[in-house]
């Protein structure tokens, strides 16, 4: 009977596992293999070169700059994005004042705010990058124009042309474009928390601050942890690549001040014809991503709360 059960389970798993291994695991294996070659990506010919690409990577100043920027992204963007999303979701769902017939409610106009926060998700990331590229334009951009109208001409700047500001401008766009998704995610999680908990806390005299840290955050922790990992992957992957590639000069400039690992992989593979070296940088990106996910899972591990 047990053998029949295992055959039944294996029959359902063999097809999806085969597809996963073929389209996910195998490309990773191929990338690791090509990192030990001199493949250009333009020809099927290549030869093994051992650890030469890794030695070159460790001596490449641009790689270390890109790694520093990617690590900055993965450390700061989840903190800022998830912090804002938790605050907005809490205020939309349970942070409002008491009203007639409802002890627990969101702030007034919460339905409108949900639409406003989610609006960036409707736009393509390429459209978002183009919009903010125009907004950051030092001559005719909306940001400098608004500062001029307000009489704050001293704060006007060449936002994407200043090596000290460009990276922060890019990070601000990523935060703006991703916060809405997590507002919706956390709102769905908060909707599943029994209202009795909040009503009991209100009867005990708890304020918003206490209610959030004593009820909402502990019961929402699994969702927050998953969101943290997902946001980190976005910051290390397609989101950062698309924004940097479209918005910045170069791209990756000025003076490599906005270069990130995904962009460097693209430049080496498709611009420089150095596919093997690009896969080597890709392996480093994979290690950083796995290390981040493992660290968040380890640090964020806590006893599961049932409700």
């Amino acid at each position: 009977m047990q053998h029949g059960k295992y055959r039944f389970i294996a029959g359902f798993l063999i097809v999806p596992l085969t597809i996963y291994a073929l389209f996910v695991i195998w490309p990773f294996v191929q990338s690791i293999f090509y990192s030990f070659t001199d493949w250009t990506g333009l020809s099927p010919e290549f030869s093994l070169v051992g650890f030469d690409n890794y030695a070159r990577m460790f001596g490449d100043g641009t790689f270390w700059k890109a790694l520093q920027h990617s690590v900055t992204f993965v450390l700061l963007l989840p903190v800022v994005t998830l912090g804002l999303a938790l605050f907005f979701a809490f205020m939309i769902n349970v942070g409002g004042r008491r009203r007639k017939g409802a002890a627990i409610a969101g702030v007034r106009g919460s339905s409108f705010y949900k639409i406003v926060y989610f609006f960036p998700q409707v736009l393509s990331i390429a459209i978002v990058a183009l919009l903010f590229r125009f907004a950051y334009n030092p001559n005719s951009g909306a940001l400098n124009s608004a500062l001029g109208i307000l009489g704050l001409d001293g704060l006007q700047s060449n936002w994407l042309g200043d090596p000290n500001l460009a990276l922060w401008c890019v990070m601000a766009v990523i935060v703006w474009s991703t916060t809405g998704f997590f507002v919706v995610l956390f709102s769905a999680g908060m909707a599943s928390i029994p209202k009795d908990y909040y009503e009991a806390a209100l009867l005990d005299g708890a304020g918003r601050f206490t209610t959030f840290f004593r009820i909402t955050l502990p019961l929402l922790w699994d969702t927050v942890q998953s969101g943290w990992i997902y946001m980190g992957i976005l910051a290390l992957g397609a989101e950062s690549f698309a924004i940097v590639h479209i918005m910045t000069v170069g791209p990756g400039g000025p003076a490599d001040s906005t270069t990130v690992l995904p962009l460097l992989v693209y430049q080496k593979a498709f611009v420089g014809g150095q596919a093997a070296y690009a896969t080597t940088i890709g392996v480093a990106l994979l290690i950083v991503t796995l290390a981040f996910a493992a660290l968040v899972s380890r640090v964020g591990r806590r006893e599961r709360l049932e409700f």
Side-chain angles (χ1 to χ4, degrees):
M1 192 69 178
Q2 290 293 327
H3 293 294
K5 182 182 74 172
Y6 292 140
R7 283 196 298 268
F8 179 77
I9 295 173
F12 275 97
L13 291 179
I14 188 168
V15 174
L17 287 178
T18 300
I19 295 175
Y20 182 80
L22 183 62
F23 292 101
V24 178
I25 302 299
W26 180 240
F28 281 121
V29 174
Q30 284 183 307
S31 297
I32 294 172
F33 170 75
Y34 282 124
S35 70
F36 294 100
T37 70
D38 60 356
W39 184 45
T40 63
L42 305 175
S43 165
E45 304 296 329
F46 63 85
S47 58
L48 294 173
V49 296
F51 288 92
D52 289 358
N53 287 324
Y54 289 92
R56 175 187 172 187
M57 181 179 70
F58 289 132
D60 187 348
T62 304
F63 164 75
W64 289 109
K65 279 187 178 181
L67 178 61
Q68 178 184 350
H69 298 155
S70 290
V71 171
T72 301
F73 275 26
V74 82
L75 291 179
L76 294 183
L77 286 177
V79 174
V80 177
T81 303
L82 298 189
L84 288 174
L86 281 169
F87 173 75
F88 293 145
F90 181 78
M91 297 305 293
I92 286 173
N93 289 276
V94 296
R97 299 292 182 183
R98 295 189 187 188
R99 298 181 205 157
K100 183 183 297 185
I104 304 300
V107 296
R108 294 188 182 278
S110 57
S111 298
F112 171 74
Y113 293 139
K114 288 179 181 179
I115 297 173
V116 171
Y117 295 144
F118 191 73
F119 175 73
Q121 297 299 308
V122 179
L123 301 176
S124 164
I125 190 63
I127 298 299
V128 170
L130 284 173
L131 288 174
F132 275 91
R133 181 176 179 178
F134 295 141
Y136 282 133
N137 187 294
N139 299 316
S140 58
L143 184 55
N144 276 352
S145 298
L147 290 174
I149 292 173
L150 296 173
L152 301 174
D153 302 63
L155 296 179
Q156 293 178 334
S157 179
N158 184 7
W159 303 101
L160 295 176
D162 187 340
N164 297 318
L165 294 176
L167 189 68
W168 301 105
C169 292
V170 169
M171 292 175 66
V173 176
I174 296 177
V175 170
W176 183 86
S177 66
T178 54
T179 298
F181 170 81
F182 293 102
V183 170
V184 174
L185 177 66
F186 296 148
S187 293
M190 291 177 190
S192 66
I193 299 175
K195 299 296 183 183
D196 295 347
Y197 294 176
Y198 292 110
E199 291 173 358
L202 290 175
L203 290 175
D204 289 337
R208 289 194 183 109
F209 186 86
T210 303
T211 302
F212 176 77
F213 283 100
R214 294 292 185 179
I215 298 177
T216 305
L217 188 57
L219 295 178
L220 203 64
W221 185 253
D222 288 343
T223 306
V224 172
Q225 187 179 28
S226 300
W228 200 289
I229 295 175
Y230 180 63
M231 185 60 211
I233 293 173
L234 286 181
L236 288 170
E239 199 83 10
S240 63
F241 167 77
I243 294 291
V244 172
H245 187 265
I246 295 173
M247 282 183 58
T248 61
V249 294
D256 292 325
S257 61
T258 56
T259 301
V260 289
L261 288 177
L263 177 65
L264 190 60
V265 171
Y266 170 82
Q267 290 174 331
K268 296 300 181 183
F270 298 103
V271 179
Q274 306 170 48
Y277 184 51
T279 59
T280 306
I281 300 172
V283 171
L285 178 59
L286 172 64
I287 293 173
V288 172
T289 304
L290 292 177
F292 168 77
L295 180 63
V296 172
S297 298
R298 178 65 178 175
V299 173
R301 184 182 301 170
R302 59 192 299 172
E303 183 180 352
R304 184 179 179 85
L305 298 177
E306 302 288 346
F307 59 91

